[in-house]
Amino acid sequence: MVCDWLGTWSIHLLYTPSQQQRLLRGCVYNMAHLNKSHEHQDRFICIYPAYINNKKTIAEGRRIPLEKAVQNPTCAEIHDVCDVSGLKVLVENKMYTREWNRDVQYRGRVRVQLKNEDGSPCLPQFATRKAVMLHAAEMIPKLKTRTQKAGGGDQNVQQGDGGKKSKKKKK
């Protein structure tokens, strides 16, 4: 807001002196994390499950194409995929602001380290946050927990149908 292309002189035209001070303090506060090393946890990127959920629209928070997104991913799945890929990963108990459902399964945020202390990518194939999200969306359906759920459900389909007769309407 303050650090726009017009520069700080535009503040003098639009705001009172007390508002100017609050805005300038806010600008410095919001940029404070840039003084920290890339290896500090505050500099890790954030990935919420909604970013790669195919049940979400772009307005609801999806950030990758629908055909590449995954059905209802969890933080644990994103963590497992990123951890196996060799990235440094943290899980935080945070809630995505656009998520209306407050259930435990929708909670959580994954933080991933993208860059080393010198600013170079930790892994060359994950130079951007979008590359990490696309990789997670590609690998989550291949997890054992996902493949076992799909294969085990067919065994009990025929059970429980016996004994019930359909009723027809009388005219």
Side-chain angles (χ1 to χ4, degrees), residues 3 9 26 28 48 70 86 108 110 112 119 121 123:
C3 304
W9 66 269
V28 172
Y48 289 96
V70 184
V110 179
V112 181
L123 296 173

Side-chain angles (χ1 to χ4, degrees), residues 102-117:
R102 301 290 180 203
D103 289 343
V104 175
Q105 73 182 43
Y106 297 104
R107 288 190 70 86
R109 159 172 90 183
V110 179
R111 283 194 168 249
V112 181
Q113 180 183 3
L114 275 189
K115 297 181 180 179
N116 294 319
E117 191 171 350

Side-chain angles (χ1 to χ4, degrees), residues 48 92-109:
Y48 289 96
E92 297 175 330
N93 188 21
K94 297 287 185 177
M95 193 74 195
Y96 187 48
T97 55
R98 295 187 206 173
E99 183 62 60
W100 58 271
N101 195 336
R102 301 290 180 203
D103 289 343
V104 175
Q105 73 182 43
Y106 297 104
R107 288 190 70 86
R109 159 172 90 183

